[in-house]
């Protein structure tokens, strides 16, 4: 397989660790190790203190998988496999698809959700939202189905727009998939990051026997450095194929990351509640910023997740604007070009506590233009 460069990640690699300020991060501030251990109970601390740094089980530590099951309808540990989220996406697409298949993915979207499909040689169609409100209409999705369609790729809460579905809309998608005998791969990495008044969606694996749910520690928990994610699917044959494919990649997971992930899952509210509060406060802060600065053409607050896709008033491209912004101020943002999306948009992230400081520096720069 030959695959194109991951433009978004290459852009982050260029700026993320040298820029003074990050305006477009999709994750929340990372928790310190001592904070994670502070939440651990006696048994969990015992696991940590007596941890042996040898190989771990290919599917993931059974204790970790049991904790994962608490968040899903299935109670079968064999319906869960643990690996890094990107690895699980890569494996799932390779297990599910052949080069003569057709798939549907969302756009704009995180590049790996479509690029792996392209690299396999599949035809791909894109389900796009209404840019006036970032609403995804299931009717538009159904129109994209072809005779050889095999897979629908979802991502809600949606990166980068912050869009979300209603339960009725999600059930419509499941009905479409059932009628056409399609798999649904649902990237749910922002699961439970729900804004006030929004009804939380269940994992797709709870609704559909050909539904595959991806979640992990990176976004919801503020623990991206653990590099732990999991797939849940009631199709155990699919899960077994993922595990067999994993033998050619990571083989098994980091023992330290598995224990820390176990602690986080068992004490989810300790991680989730501060992140939700931070996102909510930052969305309000950014709304005030948009009212003062004409460079913001439109801001549609996220219904869920930690990001929004913000339209700018520019005479130049958002890539040129973003390059100049990081050069002049040290503020890194993420332009629409990194999502292969036409239009003058940047992604804004709401999961970092220093957003107010970043916006102050941004505003100073705007006054010089």
């Amino acid at each position: 397989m030959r695959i194109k460069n991951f433009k978004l990640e290459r852009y982050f690699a260029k700026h993320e660790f040298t820029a003074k300020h990050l305006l477009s991060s999709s994750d929340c501030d990372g928790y310190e190790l001592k904070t994670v251990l502070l939440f651990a109970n006696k048994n969990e601390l015992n696991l940590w203190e007596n941890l042996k740094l040898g190989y771990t089980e290919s599917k993931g530590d059974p204790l970790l998988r049991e904790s994962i099951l608490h968040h899903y309808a299935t109670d079968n540990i064999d319906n869960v496999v643990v690996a890094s989220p990107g690895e699980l996406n890569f494996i799932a697409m390779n297990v599910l698809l052949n080069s003569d298949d057709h798939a549907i993915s969302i756009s704009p979207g995180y590049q790996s959700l479509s690029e792996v499909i392209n690299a396999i040689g599949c035809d791909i169609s894109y389900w796009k939202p209404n840019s006036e409100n970032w609403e995804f209409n299931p009717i538009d999705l159904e129109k994209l189905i072809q005779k050889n369609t095999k897979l629908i790729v979802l991502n809600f809460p949606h990166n980068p727009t912050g869009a979300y579905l209603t339960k009725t809309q999600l059930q419509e998608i499941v009905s479409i998939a059932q009628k056409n005998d399609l798999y649904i791969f649902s990237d749910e990495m922002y699961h439970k990051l729900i804004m006030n008044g929004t009804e939380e969606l269940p994992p797709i694996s709870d609704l559909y026997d050909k539904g595959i749910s991806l979640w992990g520690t990176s976004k919801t928990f503020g623990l991206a450095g653990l590099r732990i994610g999991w797939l849940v699917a009631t199709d155990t044959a699919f899960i077994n194929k993922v595990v067999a494919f994993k033998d050619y990649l990571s083989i098994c997971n980091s023992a330290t990351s598995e224990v820390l992930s176990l602690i986080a899952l068992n004490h989810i509210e300790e991680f989730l509640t501060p992140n939700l509060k931070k996102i909510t406060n930052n969305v309000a802060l950014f709304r005030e910023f948009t009212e003062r600065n004409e460079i913001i053409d439109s801001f549609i607050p996220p219904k869920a997740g930690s990001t929004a896709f913000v339209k700018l008033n520019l005479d130049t491209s958002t890539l040129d604007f973003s390059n100049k912004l990081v050069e002049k101020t040290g503020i890194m943002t993420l332009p629409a070009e990194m999502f292969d999306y036409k239009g003058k948009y940047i992604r804004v992230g709401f999961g970092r506590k220093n957003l107010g400081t970043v916006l102050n520096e941004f505003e100073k720069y705007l006054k010089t233009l």
Side-chain angles (χ1 to χ4, degrees):
M1 173 189 289
R2 295 190 180 277
I3 194 165
K4 294 179 182 178
N5 281 349
F6 202 138
K7 290 197 297 186
L8 183 152
E9 294 299 345
R10 289 299 89 212
Y11 196 79
F12 261 104
K14 182 178 180 180
H15 298 296
E16 184 176 9
F17 298 102
T18 56
K20 185 178 179 181
H21 300 296
L22 302 178
L23 184 58
S24 290
S25 296
S26 60
D27 61 330
C28 298
D29 292 302
Y31 285 97
E32 295 178 341
L33 174 61
K34 63 182 179 182
T35 301
V36 180
L37 295 177
L38 182 66
F39 297 138
N41 61 33
K42 184 177 179 180
N43 290 336
E44 291 159 355
L45 281 176
N46 186 59
L47 287 173
W48 176 254
E49 292 167 356
N50 294 283
L51 181 65
K52 293 182 179 179
L53 301 179
Y55 286 107
T56 60
E57 293 193 29
S58 295
K59 280 190 174 182
D61 186 292
L63 289 176
L64 174 57
R65 287 188 287 144
E66 288 288 355
S67 289
I68 290 168
L69 285 176
H70 293 159
H71 300 278
Y72 297 86
T74 179
D75 59 0
N76 184 353
I77 194 173
D78 289 327
N79 291 339
V80 183
V81 58
V82 181
S84 74
E87 180 182 19
L88 289 169
N89 172 75
F90 181 85
I91 295 174
M93 301 307 170
N94 276 277
V95 165
L96 290 171
L97 297 170
N98 297 308
S99 60
D100 56 354
D101 291 324
H102 171 257
I104 301 168
S105 189
I106 57 171
S107 176
Y110 193 58
Q111 186 176 339
S112 63
L113 295 178
S114 58
E115 198 58 59
V116 177
I117 297 171
N118 276 322
I120 292 169
C122 301
D123 289 331
I124 185 167
S125 299
Y126 294 98
W127 183 30
K128 298 180 180 181
N130 180 344
S131 61
E132 296 296 318
N133 54 16
W134 296 132
E135 290 284 340
F136 285 84
N137 190 334
I139 294 175
D140 296 333
L141 171 66
E142 188 166 23
K143 292 176 181 176
L144 298 174
I145 294 175
Q146 303 177 12
K147 290 183 178 180
N148 61 334
T149 303
K150 192 172 185 180
L151 174 68
I152 297 170
V153 179
L154 303 180
N155 169 220
F156 297 100
H158 183 233
N159 169 28
T161 68
Y164 206 45
L165 300 174
T166 64
K167 284 187 176 179
T168 299
Q169 289 172 324
L170 183 59
Q171 190 58 60
E172 287 178 29
I173 295 168
V174 170
S175 297
I176 291 168
Q178 288 175 324
K179 183 169 63 175
N180 294 278
D181 193 27
L182 309 179
Y183 283 96
I184 300 176
F185 180 92
S186 180
D187 176 349
E188 299 163 2
M189 290 301 293
Y190 299 84
H191 186 46
K192 294 189 177 294
L193 291 177
I194 310 299
M195 301 300 100
N196 293 334
T198 301
E199 186 178 14
E200 182 179 317
L201 296 176
I204 199 69
S205 60
D206 286 0
L207 300 178
Y208 182 38
D209 59 359
K210 297 185 80 170
I212 302 159
S213 293
L214 171 68
W215 191 22
T217 61
S218 296
K219 313 301 182 183
T220 309
F221 296 87
L223 296 171
L226 295 185
R227 310 313 304 138
I228 289 291
W230 49 87
L231 289 181
V232 179
T234 56
D235 184 345
T236 53
F238 163 77
I239 292 292
N240 289 335
K241 289 177 183 178
V242 171
V243 177
F245 199 113
K246 185 184 174 187
D247 291 341
Y248 286 98
L249 299 174
S250 64
I251 301 177
C252 66
N253 308 310
S254 159
T256 54
S257 291
E258 287 197 328
V259 173
L260 295 171
S261 298
L262 170 69
I263 296 169
L265 274 161
N266 289 347
H267 305 273
I268 184 172
E269 292 302 325
E270 304 289 354
F271 298 88
L272 176 62
T273 301
N275 286 340
L276 284 173
K277 182 178 180 180
K278 191 187 315 177
I279 292 168
T280 301
N281 290 341
N282 281 340
V283 168
L285 196 64
F286 190 77
R287 191 193 300 270
E288 295 173 2
F289 174 87
T290 66
E291 293 171 355
R292 298 192 304 269
N293 293 277
E294 293 183 356
I295 195 171
I296 307 298
D297 184 279
S298 68
F299 168 50
I300 302 169
K303 292 181 179 178
S306 57
T307 65
F309 217 31
V310 179
K311 190 175 183 180
L312 302 184
N313 286 312
L314 294 175
D315 294 328
T316 184
S317 70
T318 47
L319 178 58
D320 288 341
F321 175 82
S322 296
N323 286 340
K324 186 171 290 187
L325 179 65
V326 72
E327 176 189 341
K328 299 292 185 182
T329 69
I331 298 173
M332 180 199 164
T333 190
L334 200 60
E337 288 86 346
M338 298 302 107
F339 294 94
D340 282 332
Y341 193 79
K342 293 182 180 180
K344 298 182 179 183
Y345 296 88
I346 61 170
R347 186 178 77 182
V348 175
F350 302 105
R352 302 295 180 94
K353 63 183 179 182
N354 70 337
L355 181 66
T357 300
V358 180
L359 292 180
N360 286 338
E361 293 299 313
F362 190 19
E363 199 159 19
K364 290 178 185 177
Y365 172 71
L366 293 176
K367 291 177 180 179
T368 69
L369 299 180

